[in-house]
Amino acid sequence: MEIIYQSTRNAQERATASEAILKGLASDGGLFVPTQIPAFTVPFAEMAKMDYRQVAYEVMKLFLTDFTEEELKHCIASAYDEKFDTGEIAPLREADGAHYLELFHGATIAFKDMALSILPHLLTTAAKKNNVNEEIVILTATSGDTGKAALAGFADVPGTSIIVFYPKDGVSPIQEKQMVTQRGANTTVVGIRGNFDDAQNGVKAMFNNRELAEAMKAKGFRFSSANSINIGRLVPQIVYYVYAYTRLLAAGTLRDGELLNVVVPTGNFGNILAAYYAKCAGLPIGKLICASNDNKVLYDFFQTGTYDRKREFILTTSPSMDILISSNLERLIYKIAGDDADKNAELMRALAEEGVYHITPQMREELADFCGGYATTEQTAATIRNLYEKTGYIIDTHTAVAASVYNTYRQKSGDNAVTVIASTASPYKFTRSVMTAIDTKYDSMGDFELVDELSRLSGTKVPQAIEDIRSAEVLHKTVCAKDKMQETVEKILGL
Ligand SMILES: *Cc1c(COP(=O)(O)O)cnc(C)c1O
């Protein structure tokens, strides 16, 4: 079955999978969604015998139907290799009654590697298939983790260059150091004076600027996106939910068909949307528990049916979730509106112009499988400390938001279904917040001293990604105002 993609805002704008990956965002500002979500064909018991790459192929081939078997297998093999520090790619770890799906074993130790290690291969394959000869300029806004993972994925990939914008004061010290030390002649990193939403809005505005697109074309460039608005990011993320289910099946933790709950620490709504697509495609998922930090716009949305971004932006210890405009929620809104692009376009117009929209009671009924929760900074720290004291397992701040929300959910609901918590970053990426949560005595230690102390406490090896930046030279120093992003891009590209 051929899967076609269309814009969430215009049913007439259609694309094949490879075209949608190349474009990133639809020309009307909408997001590409499959007109029909395919169903899994291979039985889960069968996939339980496969390795990560094989499961990836079985899942991705259903969504990326214009890629040949050879192309897709080549992309998968090039992505999920020794860049990951374990052959399992996404291992499960049980602690305190939940199964942590560790999605941080890739090159930049955050879950963004799961998709961004394959996106450059999907994109360059898509360019070849569609006879695109321009240089592809990847324009990316990051709340900290996407930026580094995209830089690592695209560095020195022929036919591409990458420009990353991050909020200068809105990422962790290690996140910033990881980005500004990035090598590769085709990479640029720019700090902006603003928050992640400013960065994301600036990037979206450039994508929708026709004049800029013309000027780019004249110079032999075209934009694409490595943000989770690109369907090439979303599809690879469906894989690990299937993988997790089949591992639990193989271990006898789940019976075939038994419902699995998933808890996802959420920012831009990409990761949890992938779990939802997996469920729509037939994976036996029960509850989809959406965990937010103090920027709890999604919690309020699930609670009330009103999405209201008009609120204070709070900097938390889980910076990759400091987001008030969750881009991928649009894909869910489109779906619960009955695949109605006009209705969705109207709600997105209200969000852009008034900062708020309300969904209908009928649409709310479609959200029954979702459950929102949030954790404050104090609850997040207490969760890290308690889990460490009880089990010795150390999780990062984002994962701890999810763990805290899960603990509350389990207590309140009495729902004891087998549960997977998406563990989205290595604790080494947020060492200071993690260590001071365990004991305030760590306040006075330096960042790399804390790294060594974390290694001692957790009994885990310091990841290569951290070793690499201990002494690395800062190569990117550009900082710009939030309304000067386009000028900065024009300067970089010589337009
Ligand atoms: C990006 C990120 C998130 C949020 O994921 P979304 O797909 O944007 O919802 C959570 N945790 C970490 C560590 C991240 O890097």
Side-chain angles (χ1 to χ4, degrees), residues 110-112 145 265-271 320-321 396 398 424-425 430:
F111 96 96
K112 303 296 195 291
D145 291 331
T266 297
N268 228 355
F269 210 75
N271 200 359
S320 303
M321 297 158 66
D396 99 291
H398 303 74
T424 50
F430 301 93

